Each structure stands twice: as structure tokens, then as C-alpha cells.
């Protein structure tokens, strides 16, 4: 056991070459291989079958080869033996340059198994290439001293073809060349295939992403063009669309001539028979607040059209009627649009217009339009004195005349209770139902009829 360990130590502790000698050997090897590669390229490229050479003689003593007579002989011998595959010797010289850098310093001048395997792999590659050349380039007009593949290639190609057939010979020589190249250069075919597969996959992904990006850009340009066309069309429609007809609101209700009498001076003076108290008992109407401007009505009309168009319903605002409390917009649905579609979108439209609620009038008597009633930002106060003092109220002779208020346009509304066998007063909480009923109780009592 001790002897074995001692021998192992002695074997592993070989004396390395001095650094100075390693540097000189590396430079000499590099120069030798570089010059050999350049010389081989010159003599192989300038080969001429008319030069006196190893395979034949020539009556012309002149040498055309750039390497001289020696170059003519060497090139003729290499091409005679290997054909065009003789150019692999140039590759051998170039690869041998890298050997001088990697192996002289670590292995010295000894032949190790790796070097022997590399040299054997080179000759395997050279012979396989010559055999393939003899199989597929035979009979071609090539400037060679013998034939394609040279003497060795012709022999190997014919022997392999007779033994295994042309496909088998091709497969055998190709595999031999691949193994020789792997031994010669240290190339791993599995690693090469993996790298090629990775490169193909990456390039395929890049091409896919580039195609997707190009499609996205095309779709973006199409969408932008469609948007631009839509904006242009909408702008043209807006320019060609006639303005909304806005009915001016009734701000002041003229007082009927029947009530233009001297104002009652005392609250306790008894009026004459059948004479009602004067309007001085009621608070006179104050100056009305500023009505909704035409610009606001026009803007709201276009906003209604645009918001309904966003929901897929096309309408056109025809007219607007600003009133003291609400503004009614008369809309004309497009062909094929049902009224139920607009009714179902009222909550969404109210939210889009920042309103609490919107009332839909599906049928307007005497018109083919629908109505949208939107609350005004500022409501006007309706005074009872305005309604009672109007001609509408005063022209009714019934003793059960009721002052109801104003309509959407601000006109006074009165009704004869005697003509109403049944009355339904409807409205939201706080809209004034009870006030309307209680306000008419004393009127009915004064006129002598039960309320």
C-alpha cells in the first residue's frame, strides 16, 4: 500500500517546463502552423496539372505554382490522394495553433491520449470527406490529378457503396466524418443541437412577438382611423344638424283685468254678497330667478344624444321646453329604436347626466316624439296669487274652480272640481299634494259649497 502511494506521488509530480521555454515553444508552434496554413492555401489554390509533379511529368519545365517546384509536388500528392478534401489539412493547421496555447504549457511535448484521439479524429474526418467526395462528385470536371476524392476517396467510396449501397455508404461515411470532427475539434453534437434548437426557438419566439406587435400596430392604426372617421362623421353631423328649437319659458303671468281693483284695506272688513277677498291677502309673486340659458339647453340636448348613442340607442333632440321646475326635451328615436329601450336606460342616463331621476313621457298627444323631463338646477317658486290672478282661473265661472299650478312651460293650470267625479292626486313625497288640497278647502267654504 505504501509502495503504491509512493509511485502515485512520483507519477503526479512530473517536473513542468520552465515558463521561458513554454513561451518560446508556443511562439515557434504558432509561427510554424500559421506559415504552414498560408503555404498550403497558396500551393493548393495555384495547382496546375501542367506543372511537373509527382503523378506525371511535363515537357514544359516552367512551374506555375506559387510554392515553386516543391509546392507543385506537394499539392499534386495531396490532391492525388484526397482530392478536394485535401483542404482539410489547412483546417488542421489552424486548429493546431490553438493546441499550442492550450496544451504545451500543461502537457509539455508529450503525446497524451487526447492529442492522439484528436489526430485520429482528423484522419477519420479526412478519409470520410474523401469517400463522400468520391461518391457524389465522381465524373465531374474538376481540376484534379486523378479524380474526385483522390485515390483513397475513390477506393473508400466504391468499397462502401458495394458493401452497403449508396444510402448506407452515405450514412456510414457521414457518421464517420461527424465522429472524426467531434474527436478532432472537441465538438459536442448534443450541445450543438441543443444550441441550434435554443436559437431556433428564440428566433421563432422573436418572430412571433414581432408579428404580434406588428398586428397590434396594424389594429391600433385601424382603430385610430376608425375613431378619426367616427369623430369626423360626428363632427359633420353636429355641424349639419339644425339647432334645437327652444321654446321661451313664461316668466310673468299677466294679471286678469277682472282682479285689477282697489286693494282691500282691512282684513276684517266684510266683503259684499258673493264677493271674494282680494289678492292682497296672498303674497305677490317675486321676481323670477334666471331661467335655464339656451346654451345650457343646447349642451344638454347634445349630451343626451351622445350618452344614448353610447348605450347603442340613436335619438335626435327636436325641441326643448324650459319650465319653472323641469325642462322637457322632445326626442325622435331613430328607425328601429323602440320606446322600451329608452325607458330601460333612464337610470343609466340619469347617472350619466349626474341627475337623481329622469321622467320619460312615452307619448306626447298630437306628436310622434317622446319626452324626457329633466329637473332644472334651480327651481322657481309657484305662488298661489299668480294662478288665481291669471285669466285662466278668472275665466272659469264654476264656484269649485281649483288653482292647480303651472305646467311645464310655466302656463297657469286651473280645473273645475265639479267636472271631476273622481280625482287622483299623485306625486312624490313633498311635491305639494296636501298643500294643494288644503289650500282649496277654505276657498270652497267661502264659496258656500262643501269641500
Amino acid at each position: 500500500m505504501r509502495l503504491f502511494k509512493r509511485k502515485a506521488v512520483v507519477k503526479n509530480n512530473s517536473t513542468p517546463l520552465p515558463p521561458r521555454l513554454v513561451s518560446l515553444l508556443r511562439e515557434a508552434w504558432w509561427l510554424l502552423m500559421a506559415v504552414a496554413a498560408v503555404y498550403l492555401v497558396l500551393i493548393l489554390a495555384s495547382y496546375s496539372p501542367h506543372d511537373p509533379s509527382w503523378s506525371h511529368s511535363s515537357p514544359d519545365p516552367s512551374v506555375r505554382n506559387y510554392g515553386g517546384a516543391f509546392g507543385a509536388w506537394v499539392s499534386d500528392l495531396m490532391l492525388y490522394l484526397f482530392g478536394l478534401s485535401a483542404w482539410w489539412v489547412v483546417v488542421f493547421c489552424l486548429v493546431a495553433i490553438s493546441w499550442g496555447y492550450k496544451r504545451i504549457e500543461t502537457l509539455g511535448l508529450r503525446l497524451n491520449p487526447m492529442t492522439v484521439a484528436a489526430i485520429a479524429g482528423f484522419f477519420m474526418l479526412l478519409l470520410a470527406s474523401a469517400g463522400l467526395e468520391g461518391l457524389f462528385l465522381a465524373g465531374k470536371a474538376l481540376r484534379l490529378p486523378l479524380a474526385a476524392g483522390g485515390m483513397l476517396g475513390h477506393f473508400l467510396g466504391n468499397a462502401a457503396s458495394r458493401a452497403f449501397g449508396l444510402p448506407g455508404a452515405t450514412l456510414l461515411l457521414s457518421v464517420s466524418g461527424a465522429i472524426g470532427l467531434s474527436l478532432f475539434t472537441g465538438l459536442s453534437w448534443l450541445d450543438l443541437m441543443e444550441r441550434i434548437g435554443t436559437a431556433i426557438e428564440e428566433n421563432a419566439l422573436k418572430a412571433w412577438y414581432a408579428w404580434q406587435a406588428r398586428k397590434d400596430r396594424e389594429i391600433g392604426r385601424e382603430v385610430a382611423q376608425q375613431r378619426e372617421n367616427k369623430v369626423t362623421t360626428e363632427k359633420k353631423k353636429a355641424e349639419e344638424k339644425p339647432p334645437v328649437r327652444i321654446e321661451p319659458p313664461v316668466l310673468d303671468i299677466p294679471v286678469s283685468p277682472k282682479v285689477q281693483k282697489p286693494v282691500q284695506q282691512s282684513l276684517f272688513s266684510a266683503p259684499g254678497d258673493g264677493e271674494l277677498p282680494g289678492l292682497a291677502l296672498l303674497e305677490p309673486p317675486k321676481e323670477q330667478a334666471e331661467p335655464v340659458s339656451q346654451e345650457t339647453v343646447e349642451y344638454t340636448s347634445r349630451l343626451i344624444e351622445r350618452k344614448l348613442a353610447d348605450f347603442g340607442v340613436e335619438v335626435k333632440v327636436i325641441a326643448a321646453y324650459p319650465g319653472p321646475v323641469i325642462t322637457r326635451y322632445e326626442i325622435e328615436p331613430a328607425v328601429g329604436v323602440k320606446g322600451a329601450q329608452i325607458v330601460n336606460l333612464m337610470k343609466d342616463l340619469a347617472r350619466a347626466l349626474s341627475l337623481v331621476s329622469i321622467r320619460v313621457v312615452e307619448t306626447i298627444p298630437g306628436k310622434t316624439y317622446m319626452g324626457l323631463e329633466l329637473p332644472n338646477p334651480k327651481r322657481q317658486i309657484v305662488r298661489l296669487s299668480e294662478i288665481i290672478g291669471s285669466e285662466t282661473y278668472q275665466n272659469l265661472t264654476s264656484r269649485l274652480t281649483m288653482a292647480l299650478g303651472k305646467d311645464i312651460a310655466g302656463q297657469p293650470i286651473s280645473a273645475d272640481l265639479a267636472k271631476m267625479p273622481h280625482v287622483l292626486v299623485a306625486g312624490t313625497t313633498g311635491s305639494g299634494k296636501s298643500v294643494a288640497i288644503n289650500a282649496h278647502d277654505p276657498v270652497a267654504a267661502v264659496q258656500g259649497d262643501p269641500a
Side-chain angles (χ1 to χ4, degrees):
M1 189 70 180
R2 290 181 180 178
L3 293 175
F4 176 75
K5 289 184 178 179
R6 187 174 181 181
K7 289 181 180 179
V9 170
V10 171
K11 185 177 181 180
N12 291 334
N13 291 336
S14 59
T15 305
L17 296 176
R20 179 63 178 172
L21 179 60
V22 170
S23 177
L24 293 175
L25 290 176
R26 183 185 297 145
E27 292 181 5
W29 180 263
W30 182 87
L31 290 174
L32 178 62
M33 290 296 103
V35 170
V38 174
Y39 186 75
L40 288 175
V41 170
L42 290 175
I43 63 175
L44 291 176
S46 60
Y47 167 77
S48 176
H50 302 289
D51 291 339
S53 57
W54 176 81
S55 62
H56 62 277
S57 61
S58 176
D60 187 4
S62 62
V63 178
R64 299 167 183 81
N65 197 292
Y66 292 156
F70 179 77
W73 277 68
V74 171
S75 62
D76 179 79
L77 179 62
M78 294 175 62
L79 295 175
Y80 185 89
L81 293 176
F82 306 108
L84 297 177
S85 298
W87 285 91
W88 281 109
V89 182
V90 179
V91 178
F92 175 83
C93 295
L94 297 177
V95 175
I97 294 176
S98 64
W99 291 356
Y101 279 94
K102 295 180 181 179
R103 300 184 181 183
I104 290 179
E105 185 174 358
T106 57
L107 302 177
L109 300 177
R110 296 174 304 159
L111 285 176
N112 63 318
M114 291 299 298
T115 305
V116 174
I119 295 174
F122 169 74
F123 281 104
M124 185 181 297
L125 172 64
L126 180 61
L127 294 177
S129 175
L132 290 173
E133 182 184 344
L135 282 177
F136 294 99
L137 298 182
K140 299 294 181 64
L142 301 175
R143 196 176 62 171
L144 295 173
L146 183 60
M151 180 182 68
L152 295 178
H154 179 72
F155 173 75
L156 287 176
N158 290 337
S161 178
R162 285 193 301 268
F164 304 101
L166 182 60
T170 303
L171 183 62
L172 177 63
L173 293 175
S174 299
V175 171
S176 301
I179 295 174
L181 182 64
S182 180
L183 292 175
F184 175 49
T185 60
L187 174 66
S188 173
W189 290 105
L190 294 178
D191 183 61
L192 178 62
M193 287 187 289
E194 184 177 357
R195 291 183 180 182
I196 293 175
T198 303
I200 294 175
E201 183 180 1
E202 291 178 353
N203 292 329
L205 288 176
K206 288 181 180 179
W208 170 258
Y209 293 147
W211 182 78
Q212 288 287 347
R214 184 171 60 84
K215 294 294 291 183
D216 291 341
R217 288 192 296 269
E218 291 179 357
I219 294 174
R221 286 193 293 267
E222 292 178 0
V223 171
Q225 185 64 32
Q226 293 176 1
R227 187 185 301 112
E228 184 178 355
N229 295 338
K230 184 177 180 180
V231 170
T232 304
T233 304
E234 293 297 330
K235 186 182 295 184
K236 187 176 181 180
K237 286 183 179 179
E239 293 175 354
E240 295 177 353
K241 187 177 297 183
V244 179
R245 179 169 53 86
I246 302 175
E247 296 293 336
V250 178
L251 301 179
D252 297 324
I253 300 176
V255 181
S256 175
K258 297 180 181 181
V259 298
Q260 292 180 356
K261 299 178 181 180
V263 180
Q264 184 177 348
Q265 298 296 327
S266 175
L267 294 176
F268 302 100
S269 60
D273 187 16
E275 183 180 356
L276 297 178
L279 290 179
L281 291 176
L282 301 176
E283 184 178 356
K286 297 180 180 179
E287 182 180 355
Q288 298 293 347
E290 181 182 356
V292 182
S293 63
Q294 292 188 357
E295 291 79 7
T296 302
V297 174
E298 184 74 25
Y299 173 77
T300 307
S301 302
R302 302 310 177 200
L303 188 61
I304 291 173
E305 295 176 348
R306 187 164 63 251
K307 293 301 180 182
L308 286 177
D310 292 341
F311 295 125
V313 177
E314 185 178 354
V315 299
K316 182 169 63 174
V317 178
I318 303 300
Y321 297 86
V325 178
I326 65 171
T327 300
R328 186 175 71 185
Y329 296 88
E330 293 183 351
I331 62 174
E332 181 182 17
V335 178
V337 177
K338 298 180 180 180
Q341 295 178 256
I342 301 176
V343 174
N344 295 333
L345 291 173
M346 283 307 97
K347 291 184 179 181
D348 297 325
L349 181 60
R351 182 173 59 253
L353 297 177
S354 302
L355 298 176
V356 178
S357 62
I358 294 177
R359 180 172 178 265
V360 182
V361 182
E362 295 191 59
T363 303
I364 299 177
K367 297 181 180 180
T368 60
Y369 308 136
M370 297 180 64
L372 297 180
E373 295 181 354
L374 278 63
N376 293 336
K378 295 181 180 180
R379 294 187 175 188
Q380 297 179 3
I381 298 176
V382 180
R383 303 289 180 179
L384 184 59
S385 59
E386 295 182 88
I387 311 304
I388 296 177
S390 64
E391 290 189 30
T392 304
Y393 183 88
Q394 294 297 328
N395 289 338
L396 293 177
T397 59
S398 174
R399 299 178 67 85
L400 293 179
T401 301
M402 298 179 63
L404 299 181
K406 293 182 179 181
D407 62 5
I408 294 175
Q411 297 290 349
I413 300 296
S414 301
D416 185 4
L417 186 59
K419 297 180 180 180
M420 302 178 187
H422 302 284
V423 179
L424 174 63
V425 181
T428 59
T429 303
S431 61
K433 301 183 299 294
S434 301
V435 174
I437 297 299
N438 294 329
H440 289 86
D441 285 344
V443 175
V446 170
Q447 294 175 345
D449 294 327

